[in-house]
Amino acid sequence: MIPLSLHEIAAVVHGRVIGGGAVGGTGEIEGERDGTPTVTVTAPAVLDGRLAEPGGLFLAFAGEHTDGHDHAGQAGLSGAVAALGSRPTALPTVVGEDVQAAVQALAAHVVARLRDGLTVVGLTGSQGKTGTKDLLAAVLSEAAPTTATLGSLNNELGVPLTMLRADAATRYLVLEMGARHVGDIAALTGLVTPDIAVVLNVGQAHLGEFGSRAAISRTKGELVRGLAPNGTAVLNADDPRVAAMRSFTDGPVLTFGRAEHADVRVLDLTLDRLGRPSFALRTATASASVTLPLVGAHQALNASAAAAAALAAGIPLDVSAAALATAALSKWRMEPRELACGATLLNDSYNANPDSTRAALNALDTLAVTGSGRRIAVLGEMRELGDESAAEHRAIGEYASSRAEVVAAVGEAARPIADAAATRTGVLALTLADNDAAVDWLRDHLAAGDVVLVKASRGAHLDEVAAALP
């Protein structure tokens, strides 16, 4: 974060500075103004006071179950020098009526201060956002200092938090943008206008919230409509709904995918015994070979999106290919681990929707089993599917039965997965009551040579199942 005095922050967010208690970190106290100390914030803003860095800003929200204002003292002990909240705290505090609006205004101010020499990349899609963001950040970081979304902090607070982490050294700012309603991405591009807009796909994530796939498409298209003048749209040539978004901009368009007409095309895709893809990326003027240290054929498409966005930022294809070869993903995304019993765990438990679950099941299908090993799919609820939930879970159960010898549904909401899988001859299908039951079953039945996929929506907490396996 760029250095900002508390009074400058107050002016930006139309708040007032209250309190002059002890400062817990190493922020600079410049003296007094209107009877209160003028503290300079020099480190990123945080929602969790335990994660505060010396010189940082603690964002105090009054939630339904806990009030962040009560934890400002803890944030101070971790290094925060000030807070932004709706009432005074134990730290010097900028007080305003709407903390979320204040955070957004402050983030917009910081990026506006840095705008000369800064390239902003916005990225969205129904699935693959975080993985592609990780790949793109790895590529851009090879060229210049890059600030990118941590994990999946991609909503109305996550995007501003990432923006506030940018500083004078940042040359690339990569913002993953998620949405649950029409207008959400337009609101984010209202905070920061992207120079490059990457749209991966239009799928079924949050279908229950949006109501229709057309509404999802319209929302993803808000990123392209929000481009800066002459900004570049980077679009999936394999997804007709995304490809059609080229009509939303008068600026340059680059496409990626396996389609023959893609500007950055994936060719000669193969997988090794652990499901890691090797392929060629080809443009009209260059070609490069890539081997990813990641599991799943779908990662090749994500890599082509990252390479296309990098081209839009002026980075040659060969530089991207070299960086992609050593890239890593955020936690709990297609994360392989060898278990003590000799089985292999594929932990993709961070989130799930029908499209991403099919991609994970395809990856499971490619992993080699040994001896009498089995492919085991442990699947929990896919949330926010609305009226289509039961049908989509049944469809996943049918699909899983073609990719795994064992299909285990975790929780009552996921039962339709097992019910559908049970109709295929030769597949063991079962419903496990909860995460504890899933852990118990896996501990009792996993054997050397098995490969087990664990996947569900974040709210199902199947990461707990993965973590409990030795």
Side-chain angles (χ1 to χ4, degrees), residues 359-420:
L361 288 164
N362 288 340
L364 174 65
D365 188 37
T366 66
L367 266 66
V369 298
T370 59
S372 58
R374 303 159 297 171
R375 295 176 182 86
I376 301 171
V378 178
L379 306 174
E381 180 186 6
M382 301 176 295
R383 298 189 172 185
E384 299 179 0
L385 292 175
D387 294 340
E388 300 299 314
S389 180
E392 291 294 345
H393 282 84
R394 285 193 297 271
I396 284 298
E398 293 173 6
Y399 196 81
S401 69
S402 69
R403 296 294 187 270
E405 289 80 30
V406 179
V407 178
V410 182
E412 189 60 31
R415 180 180 292 275
I417 294 175
D419 291 344

Coordinates of all heavy atoms in Angstrom, one line a residue, residues 359-420:
A359 N -14.8 -31.1 -14.8 CA -13.4 -31.0 -15.1 C -12.6 -31.7 -14.1 O -11.6 -32.4 -14.5 CB -13.0 -29.5 -15.1
A360 N -12.9 -31.7 -12.8 CA -12.2 -32.4 -11.8 C -12.3 -33.9 -12.0 O -11.4 -34.7 -11.9 CB -12.6 -32.0 -10.4
L361 N -13.6 -34.4 -12.4 CA -13.8 -35.8 -12.6 C -13.0 -36.3 -13.9 O -12.5 -37.4 -13.9 CB -15.3 -36.1 -12.8 CG -16.1 -36.0 -11.5 CD1 -17.6 -35.8 -11.8 CD2 -15.8 -37.2 -10.6
N362 N -12.9 -35.4 -14.9 CA -12.1 -35.8 -16.0 C -10.6 -35.9 -15.6 O -9.9 -36.9 -16.1 CB -12.2 -34.7 -17.1 CG -13.5 -34.7 -17.8 OD1 -14.3 -35.6 -17.7 ND2 -13.9 -33.5 -18.4
A363 N -10.2 -35.0 -14.7 CA -8.8 -35.2 -14.2 C -8.6 -36.5 -13.5 O -7.6 -37.2 -13.6 CB -8.4 -34.0 -13.4
L364 N -9.6 -36.8 -12.6 CA -9.5 -38.1 -11.9 C -9.4 -39.2 -12.8 O -8.6 -40.2 -12.6 CB -10.8 -38.2 -11.0 CG -11.0 -39.5 -10.2 CD1 -9.9 -39.7 -9.2 CD2 -12.3 -39.6 -9.6
D365 N -10.2 -39.2 -13.9 CA -10.2 -40.3 -14.8 C -8.8 -40.5 -15.5 O -8.5 -41.6 -15.9 CB -11.3 -40.0 -15.9 CG -11.5 -41.2 -16.8 OD1 -11.4 -42.3 -16.3 OD2 -11.8 -41.0 -18.0
T366 N -8.1 -39.4 -15.6 CA -6.8 -39.6 -16.3 C -5.7 -40.1 -15.4 O -4.6 -40.5 -15.9 CB -6.3 -38.2 -16.9 OG1 -6.1 -37.3 -15.8 CG2 -7.4 -37.6 -17.8
L367 N -5.9 -40.0 -14.1 CA -4.8 -40.4 -13.2 C -4.7 -41.9 -13.1 O -5.7 -42.6 -13.1 CB -5.1 -39.9 -11.7 CG -4.4 -38.5 -11.4 CD1 -5.0 -37.4 -12.3 CD2 -4.6 -38.2 -9.9
A368 N -3.5 -42.4 -13.2 CA -3.2 -43.8 -13.3 C -3.4 -44.5 -11.9 O -2.8 -44.0 -10.9 CB -1.9 -44.1 -13.9
V369 N -4.1 -45.6 -11.8 CA -4.2 -46.4 -10.6 C -3.2 -47.5 -10.8 O -2.9 -47.9 -11.9 CB -5.6 -46.9 -10.3 CG1 -6.6 -45.7 -10.1 CG2 -6.1 -47.8 -11.5
T370 N -2.8 -48.1 -9.7 CA -1.9 -49.2 -9.7 C -2.5 -50.4 -9.0 O -3.3 -50.3 -8.1 CB -0.5 -48.8 -9.1 OG1 -0.7 -48.5 -7.7 CG2 0.1 -47.7 -9.8
G371 N -2.1 -51.6 -9.4 CA -2.6 -52.8 -8.8 C -4.1 -52.9 -8.9 O -4.6 -52.7 -10.0
S372 N -4.7 -53.1 -7.8 CA -6.2 -53.2 -7.8 C -6.8 -51.8 -7.4 O -7.9 -51.8 -7.0 CB -6.6 -54.2 -6.8 OG -6.1 -53.9 -5.5
G373 N -6.0 -50.8 -7.6 CA -6.5 -49.4 -7.2 C -7.8 -49.0 -7.9 O -8.1 -49.5 -9.0
R374 N -8.5 -48.1 -7.3 CA -9.8 -47.6 -7.8 C -9.7 -46.1 -7.9 O -9.0 -45.4 -7.1 CB -10.9 -48.0 -6.9 CG -11.1 -49.5 -6.7 CD -11.9 -49.8 -5.4 NE -11.2 -49.3 -4.2 CZ -11.7 -49.2 -3.0 NH1 -13.0 -49.6 -2.8 NH2 -11.0 -48.8 -2.0
R375 N -10.5 -45.5 -8.7 CA -10.8 -44.1 -8.8 C -12.0 -43.8 -7.9 O -13.1 -44.4 -8.2 CB -11.0 -43.6 -10.2 CG -9.7 -43.8 -11.0 CD -9.9 -43.3 -12.5 NE -8.8 -43.5 -13.3 CZ -8.4 -44.7 -13.9 NH1 -9.2 -45.8 -13.8 NH2 -7.3 -44.8 -14.6
I376 N -11.9 -43.0 -6.9 CA -12.9 -42.7 -5.9 C -13.3 -41.2 -6.0 O -12.4 -40.4 -5.7 CB -12.5 -43.1 -4.5 CG1 -12.1 -44.6 -4.5 CG2 -13.6 -42.9 -3.5 CD1 -11.4 -45.1 -3.2
A377 N -14.5 -40.9 -6.2 CA -15.0 -39.5 -6.2 C -15.8 -39.3 -5.0 O -16.9 -39.9 -4.8 CB -15.8 -39.3 -7.5
V378 N -15.3 -38.4 -4.1 CA -16.0 -38.0 -2.9 C -16.5 -36.6 -3.1 O -15.8 -35.6 -3.2 CB -15.0 -38.0 -1.7 CG1 -15.8 -37.6 -0.4 CG2 -14.5 -39.4 -1.5
L379 N -17.8 -36.5 -3.3 CA -18.4 -35.3 -3.8 C -19.5 -34.7 -2.8 O -20.4 -35.5 -2.4 CB -19.1 -35.5 -5.1 CG -18.2 -36.1 -6.2 CD1 -19.0 -36.4 -7.5 CD2 -17.0 -35.1 -6.6
G380 N -19.4 -33.5 -2.5 CA -20.4 -32.9 -1.6 C -21.3 -31.9 -2.4 O -21.3 -31.9 -3.6
E381 N -22.1 -31.2 -1.7 CA -23.1 -30.3 -2.3 C -22.5 -29.2 -3.1 O -21.5 -28.6 -2.8 CB -23.9 -29.7 -1.2 CG -25.0 -28.8 -1.7 CD -25.7 -28.0 -0.6 OE1 -25.3 -28.1 0.6 OE2 -26.7 -27.3 -0.9
M382 N -23.1 -29.0 -4.3 CA -22.8 -27.8 -5.1 C -23.9 -26.8 -4.8 O -25.1 -27.0 -5.2 CB -22.8 -28.2 -6.6 CG -21.8 -29.3 -7.0 SD -21.9 -29.8 -8.7 CE -23.5 -30.5 -8.7
R383 N -23.5 -25.7 -4.2 CA -24.5 -24.8 -3.8 C -24.9 -23.7 -4.8 O -24.3 -23.6 -5.8 CB -24.1 -24.1 -2.5 CG -23.8 -25.1 -1.3 CD -23.6 -24.4 0.0 NE -23.6 -25.4 1.0 CZ -23.4 -25.2 2.3 NH1 -23.3 -23.9 2.7 NH2 -23.5 -26.1 3.3
E384 N -26.0 -23.0 -4.5 CA -26.4 -21.8 -5.3 C -26.9 -22.3 -6.7 O -26.6 -21.5 -7.7 CB -25.4 -20.8 -5.4 CG -25.0 -20.2 -4.0 CD -23.9 -19.1 -4.0 OE1 -23.4 -18.8 -5.1 OE2 -23.6 -18.7 -3.0
L385 N -27.5 -23.4 -6.8 CA -28.0 -23.9 -8.1 C -29.5 -23.7 -8.3 O -30.1 -24.0 -9.3 CB -27.6 -25.3 -8.4 CG -26.2 -25.6 -8.5 CD1 -25.9 -27.1 -8.6 CD2 -25.6 -24.9 -9.8
G386 N -30.2 -23.2 -7.2 CA -31.6 -22.8 -7.3 C -32.5 -24.0 -7.6 O -32.2 -25.2 -7.1
D387 N -33.5 -23.8 -8.4 CA -34.4 -24.9 -8.7 C -33.8 -26.1 -9.5 O -34.4 -27.2 -9.5 CB -35.6 -24.3 -9.6 CG -36.4 -23.3 -8.8 OD1 -36.4 -23.3 -7.5 OD2 -37.1 -22.5 -9.4
E388 N -32.7 -25.8 -10.1 CA -32.0 -26.9 -10.8 C -31.1 -27.8 -10.0 O -30.4 -28.7 -10.5 CB -31.2 -26.3 -12.0 CG -32.0 -25.5 -13.0 CD -33.0 -26.3 -13.7 OE1 -32.7 -27.4 -14.1 OE2 -34.2 -25.9 -13.7
S389 N -31.1 -27.5 -8.7 CA -30.1 -28.2 -7.8 C -30.2 -29.7 -7.9 O -29.2 -30.4 -8.1 CB -30.2 -27.7 -6.4 OG -29.3 -28.3 -5.6
A390 N -31.3 -30.3 -7.7 CA -31.5 -31.7 -7.7 C -31.1 -32.3 -9.0 O -30.4 -33.3 -9.1 CB -32.9 -32.1 -7.3
A391 N -31.6 -31.7 -10.1 CA -31.2 -32.2 -11.4 C -29.8 -32.2 -11.7 O -29.2 -33.1 -12.3 CB -32.0 -31.4 -12.5
E392 N -29.1 -31.1 -11.3 CA -27.7 -30.9 -11.6 C -26.9 -31.9 -10.7 O -25.9 -32.4 -11.2 CB -27.2 -29.5 -11.3 CG -27.8 -28.4 -12.2 CD -27.2 -28.6 -13.6 OE1 -26.2 -29.3 -13.8 OE2 -27.8 -28.0 -14.6
H393 N -27.3 -32.2 -9.5 CA -26.6 -33.2 -8.7 C -26.8 -34.6 -9.3 O -25.8 -35.4 -9.3 CB -27.1 -33.1 -7.3 CG -26.5 -32.0 -6.5 ND1 -27.1 -30.7 -6.5 CD2 -25.4 -31.9 -5.6 CE1 -26.3 -29.9 -5.7 NE2 -25.4 -30.6 -5.2
R394 N -28.0 -34.9 -9.8 CA -28.1 -36.2 -10.5 C -27.3 -36.3 -11.7 O -26.7 -37.3 -12.0 CB -29.6 -36.4 -10.8 CG -30.5 -36.7 -9.6 CD -31.9 -37.2 -10.1 NE -32.6 -36.2 -10.9 CZ -33.4 -35.3 -10.3 NH1 -33.6 -35.3 -9.0 NH2 -34.0 -34.4 -11.0
A395 N -27.2 -35.2 -12.5 CA -26.4 -35.2 -13.7 C -24.9 -35.5 -13.3 O -24.2 -36.2 -14.1 CB -26.5 -33.9 -14.5
I396 N -24.4 -34.8 -12.3 CA -23.1 -35.1 -11.8 C -22.9 -36.5 -11.4 O -21.8 -37.1 -11.6 CB -22.7 -34.1 -10.7 CG1 -22.4 -32.7 -11.3 CG2 -21.4 -34.5 -9.9 CD1 -21.3 -32.6 -12.3
G397 N -23.9 -37.1 -10.7 CA -23.8 -38.5 -10.3 C -23.6 -39.4 -11.5 O -22.8 -40.3 -11.5
E398 N -24.4 -39.1 -12.6 CA -24.3 -39.9 -13.8 C -22.9 -39.8 -14.4 O -22.3 -40.8 -14.8 CB -25.4 -39.5 -14.8 CG -26.8 -39.8 -14.3 CD -27.8 -39.2 -15.3 OE1 -27.4 -38.7 -16.3 OE2 -29.0 -39.3 -14.9
Y399 N -22.4 -38.6 -14.4 CA -21.1 -38.3 -15.0 C -20.0 -39.0 -14.2 O -19.1 -39.6 -14.7 CB -20.9 -36.8 -15.1 CG -19.7 -36.4 -16.1 CD1 -19.9 -36.4 -17.4 CD2 -18.5 -36.1 -15.6 CE1 -18.9 -36.1 -18.3 CE2 -17.4 -35.8 -16.4 CZ -17.7 -35.8 -17.8 OH -16.6 -35.4 -18.6
A400 N -20.1 -38.8 -12.9 CA -19.1 -39.4 -12.0 C -19.0 -40.9 -12.2 O -17.9 -41.5 -12.1 CB -19.4 -39.0 -10.5
S401 N -20.2 -41.5 -12.4 CA -20.1 -43.0 -12.5 C -19.4 -43.5 -13.8 O -19.0 -44.6 -13.9 CB -21.6 -43.5 -12.5 OG -22.3 -43.2 -13.7
S402 N -19.2 -42.5 -14.7 CA -18.4 -42.9 -15.9 C -16.9 -42.6 -15.8 O -16.1 -42.9 -16.6 CB -19.0 -42.1 -17.1 OG -18.7 -40.7 -17.1
R403 N -16.6 -42.0 -14.6 CA -15.2 -41.6 -14.4 C -14.6 -42.2 -13.2 O -13.4 -42.1 -13.0 CB -15.1 -40.0 -14.3 CG -15.6 -39.2 -15.5 CD -14.6 -39.5 -16.6 NE -14.8 -38.6 -17.8 CZ -15.6 -38.9 -18.8 NH1 -16.3 -40.1 -18.8 NH2 -15.8 -38.1 -19.8
A404 N -15.4 -42.9 -12.4 CA -14.9 -43.4 -11.1 C -15.5 -44.8 -10.8 O -16.7 -45.0 -11.2 CB -15.1 -42.5 -10.0
E405 N -14.8 -45.6 -10.1 CA -15.4 -46.9 -9.7 C -16.2 -46.8 -8.4 O -17.1 -47.6 -8.1 CB -14.3 -47.9 -9.5 CG -13.6 -48.4 -10.8 CD -12.6 -47.5 -11.3 OE1 -12.0 -46.7 -10.5 OE2 -12.4 -47.4 -12.5
V406 N -15.9 -45.7 -7.6 CA -16.6 -45.5 -6.4 C -17.1 -44.0 -6.4 O -16.3 -43.1 -6.6 CB -15.8 -45.7 -5.1 CG1 -16.5 -45.5 -3.9 CG2 -15.2 -47.2 -5.1
V407 N -18.4 -43.8 -6.1 CA -18.9 -42.4 -6.0 C -19.5 -42.3 -4.7 O -20.5 -43.0 -4.3 CB -19.9 -42.1 -7.1 CG1 -20.5 -40.7 -7.0 CG2 -19.3 -42.3 -8.5
A408 N -19.0 -41.4 -3.8 CA -19.5 -41.2 -2.5 C -20.0 -39.8 -2.4 O -19.3 -38.8 -2.6 CB -18.4 -41.4 -1.4
A409 N -21.3 -39.6 -2.1 CA -21.9 -38.3 -1.8 C -21.9 -38.0 -0.4 O -22.2 -38.9 0.5 CB -23.4 -38.3 -2.3
V410 N -21.5 -36.8 0.0 CA -21.3 -36.4 1.4 C -22.4 -35.4 1.8 O -22.5 -34.3 1.2 CB -20.0 -35.8 1.7 CG1 -19.8 -35.5 3.2 CG2 -18.8 -36.8 1.3
G411 N -23.3 -35.8 2.7 CA -24.4 -35.0 3.1 C -25.7 -35.2 2.4 O -25.7 -35.7 1.2
E412 N -26.8 -34.9 3.0 CA -28.1 -35.2 2.5 C -28.3 -34.4 1.2 O -28.9 -35.0 0.2 CB -29.2 -34.9 3.5 CG -30.6 -35.3 3.1 CD -30.7 -36.8 2.9 OE1 -30.0 -37.6 3.6 OE2 -31.5 -37.2 2.0
A413 N -27.8 -33.2 1.1 CA -28.1 -32.4 -0.1 C -27.4 -33.0 -1.3 O -27.8 -32.8 -2.5 CB -27.6 -31.0 0.1
A414 N -26.3 -33.8 -1.1 CA -25.6 -34.4 -2.2 C -26.1 -35.8 -2.6 O -25.6 -36.4 -3.5 CB -24.1 -34.5 -1.9
R415 N -27.1 -36.3 -1.8 CA -27.6 -37.7 -2.1 C -28.0 -37.9 -3.5 O -27.7 -39.1 -4.0 CB -28.8 -37.9 -1.2 CG -29.4 -39.3 -1.3 CD -30.6 -39.6 -0.4 NE -30.2 -39.6 1.0 CZ -29.8 -40.7 1.6 NH1 -29.7 -41.8 0.9 NH2 -29.5 -40.7 2.9
P416 N -28.6 -37.0 -4.3 CA -28.9 -37.3 -5.7 C -27.7 -37.7 -6.5 O -27.9 -38.4 -7.5 CB -29.5 -36.0 -6.2 CG -30.1 -35.3 -5.0 CD -29.1 -35.7 -3.9
I417 N -26.5 -37.3 -6.1 CA -25.3 -37.8 -6.8 C -25.2 -39.3 -6.7 O -25.0 -40.0 -7.7 CB -24.0 -37.1 -6.2 CG1 -24.1 -35.6 -6.5 CG2 -22.8 -37.7 -6.8 CD1 -22.9 -34.8 -5.8
A418 N -25.3 -39.8 -5.5 CA -25.1 -41.2 -5.3 C -26.3 -42.0 -5.9 O -26.1 -43.1 -6.5 CB -25.0 -41.5 -3.8
D419 N -27.5 -41.4 -5.8 CA -28.7 -42.1 -6.4 C -28.5 -42.3 -7.9 O -28.8 -43.4 -8.4 CB -29.9 -41.3 -6.1 CG -30.3 -41.3 -4.6 OD1 -29.8 -42.1 -3.9 OD2 -31.1 -40.4 -4.2
A420 N -28.0 -41.3 -8.6 CA -27.8 -41.4 -10.0 C -26.7 -42.3 -10.3 O -26.7 -43.1 -11.3 CB -27.6 -40.0 -10.6

